[in-house]
Amino acid sequence: MILDVSRVRAAYPALSDGYAYLDGAAGTQVPAKVIEAIADAYRSGIGNAGGAFPASGRADGIVAECRRALADLTGADPQGVILGPNMTTLTYRLADTLSRRWGPGDEVVVSRLDHDANIRPWVQAAARSGATVRWAEVDISTAELPAAQYDDLLSERTRLVAVTAASNIVGTRPDVAAIAAAAHSVGALCYVDGVHATPHVPVDVRSLGADFYATSAYKWSGPHIGTVVADPALLETLHPDKLAPAPVGVPGRFERGTAAFADLAGVVAAVEHLAALGSSPPSAPRPDTRRQRVLASMTAVEQYEGQLFTRLVGGLARMRHVTLYGNAARRAPTAFFTVTGYTPRQVAERLAAGKINVWNGDNYAWELTGAFGLRESGGGVRAGIVHYNDQAEVERLLAAVAELAPDGVR
Ligand SMILES: Cc1ncc(COP(=O)(O)O)c(C=O)c1O
């Protein structure tokens, strides 16, 4: 399978505005089919869930279909798909629920590589319950998170290991399967932040060994909806706070209030979009199921993005006025750098003036930017590739950053 980027770009109305959207790590643009699915849900009439009339039935149908779509995206069981507004909210909810089992002497392990949304909820829950927090450290020269350190970090008192499947600033993809296996060997649960990995690679929660896997649809061409997937049997053992009349079953008891039904229809369309990104020659056999199509398509995405990323980091690495952070062996296509003589904000402003969108700051990778020593100086510049970016946009970014070289230093 290959990815035909001009066909892909044509699906996104927003991409016609002349900007190079290299800010996808903070949130992607949305294809017309997702916009239409959301509008169609409203147009056709939707009531609240659980009622006796057809518009309510449509809401129930959307929720069920959304769980199936997210299960196909991640390899999970639809009955273990918890829906919510975003990853941060759901992670706080699960940290609150899981930490009721923790007490003094128990331990949780977080990593310095992670987005703060997979650190602070656990640190704060540990503080409330009296549990101890242990930190997995990043090798700053490479931004690798060595899995071997978990042997020393884990003990029979470890209750939970929280780790990211990919760093949202340097792209590092740690060996989650090894870390989860180590966690399981001492009886701990593994909570995996898949927000940055999911848009870039095929995901299979079972082979990762993730007991919980979180992702947010707005990072992969969908609306602002988050999900955490888990084994329904594990969810059956957990009892979050809930309203008295709210669902008692799984996964409904983890979901608070009324769902954003129309947006959930958009999530289904976004999964369909991902499943259709790769194109095969007409003679090639077509995968049977949506799950198979997602896996084949995301393999093509990974390969396509990897080629652009090689050019991006190769070009930046050659510029003497640019300092690049991270060089892990397995990476999502996300670059983090500083430019001599400019604050990250100034770089982002100069690029924005040339219609190039990049992020500046800590990007909520609070611990990692601190470990890099960049927190006080405004963090760094983040340029990320997603499947709708093309070679011309990468060249525009490289040319614009090259322009920032002091005379003769480039
Ligand atoms: C790796 C990672 N984890 C977690 C989050 C938080 O996700 P949400 O905005 O859905 O709460 C983000 C958002 O940028 C992220 O990049």
Side-chain angles (χ1 to χ4, degrees):
M1 264 198 180
I2 55 144
L3 187 138
D4 172 357
V5 73
S6 15
R7 178 178 72 85
V8 169
R9 288 177 69 81
Y12 288 82
L15 296 185
S16 58
D17 69 359
Y19 279 81
Y21 283 87
L22 295 167
D23 63 329
T28 42
Q29 300 310 304
V30 174
K33 282 196 172 146
V34 171
I35 300 168
E36 283 155 19
I38 295 170
D40 284 351
Y42 282 123
R43 257 191 222 108
S44 62
I46 29 174
N48 209 333
F53 50 95
S56 173
R58 282 195 284 276
D60 291 330
I62 288 171
V63 172
E65 183 51 34
C66 188
R67 293 197 210 284
R68 281 195 289 275
L70 288 164
D72 282 348
L73 180 64
T74 57
D77 180 331
Q79 280 310 109
V81 174
I82 304 169
L83 301 168
N86 52 54
M87 178 273 185
T88 304
T89 302
L90 290 174
T91 302
Y92 263 115
R93 195 171 301 161
L94 282 153
D96 176 53
T97 306
L98 287 163
S99 63
R100 291 174 197 182
R101 301 166 160 185
W102 306 343
D106 287 338
E107 296 180 352
V108 298
V109 181
V110 294
S111 106
R112 207 79 69 185
L113 186 69
D114 273 73
H115 186 286
D116 216 51
N118 201 28
I119 297 177
R120 219 55 54 189
W122 306 114
V123 169
Q124 291 163 352
R128 276 196 303 276
S129 65
T132 302
V133 175
R134 306 197 67 190
W135 290 87
E137 299 293 347
V138 175
D139 174 345
I140 292 309
S141 61
T142 59
E144 295 280 8
L145 182 75
Q149 68 185 305
Y150 283 83
D151 291 341
D152 295 331
L153 287 167
L154 297 169
S155 75
E156 71 288 349
R157 294 312 302 266
T158 312
R159 294 288 168 258
L160 182 113
V161 175
V163 69
T164 191
S167 155
N168 67 313
I169 58 170
V170 290
T172 303
R173 293 173 54 209
D175 189 348
V176 170
I179 295 167
H184 295 155
S185 73
V186 295
L189 294 169
C190 188
Y191 191 100
V192 178
D193 177 357
V195 173
H196 194 67
T198 311
H200 304 297
V201 295
V203 173
D204 185 56
V205 289
R206 290 194 180 92
S207 50
L208 281 176
D211 297 295
F212 300 91
Y213 183 91
T215 181
S216 289
Y218 76 96
K219 306 286 192 180
W220 36 265
S221 303
H224 289 88
I225 291 291
T227 185
V228 172
V229 303
D231 183 343
L234 171 60
L235 295 181
E236 291 289 356
T237 67
L238 300 173
H239 297 278
D241 280 344
K242 65 175 263 317
L243 303 183
V248 283
V250 162
R253 69 170 176 248
F254 290 84
E255 297 169 350
R256 289 191 179 156
T258 308
F261 300 115
D263 282 346
L264 299 186
V267 172
V268 177
V271 172
E272 292 288 354
H273 167 79
L274 295 182
L277 283 172
S279 8
S280 309
S283 54
R286 204 173 138 72
D288 290 337
T289 65
R290 180 169 58 193
R291 172 73 181 146
Q292 288 168 347
R293 284 189 289 121
V294 165
L295 290 174
S297 188
M298 292 308 294
T299 303
V301 166
E302 182 178 7
Q303 194 188 9
Y304 171 77
E305 292 180 353
Q307 284 161 4
L308 288 190
F309 189 59
T310 301
R311 169 68 186 137
L312 174 65
V313 284
L316 289 172
R318 274 195 290 281
M319 298 183 200
R320 285 164 54 201
H321 61 299
V322 169
T323 305
L324 265 172
Y325 292 83
N327 184 26
R330 287 195 334 148
R331 292 178 81 175
T334 312
F336 195 63
F337 60 96
T338 53
V339 179
T340 305
Y342 294 86
T343 65
R345 180 74 187 188
Q346 287 169 333
V347 175
E349 284 169 358
R350 285 285 294 264
L351 296 181
K355 293 196 157 186
I356 300 170
N357 298 348
V358 294
W359 269 95
N360 65 279
D362 58 60
N363 300 296
Y364 280 35
W366 179 251
E367 295 293 336
L368 187 55
T369 43
F372 284 143
L374 293 175
R375 214 187 272 156
E376 314 310 322
S377 54
V381 179
R382 176 177 68 182
I385 307 287
V386 295
H387 59 254
Y388 54 64
N389 293 123
D390 64 11
Q391 174 90 29
E393 291 176 321
V394 171
E395 300 304 334
R396 275 172 66 193
L397 176 82
L398 291 174
V401 176
E403 286 294 312
L404 302 176
D407 279 354
V409 178
R410 190 192 309 171

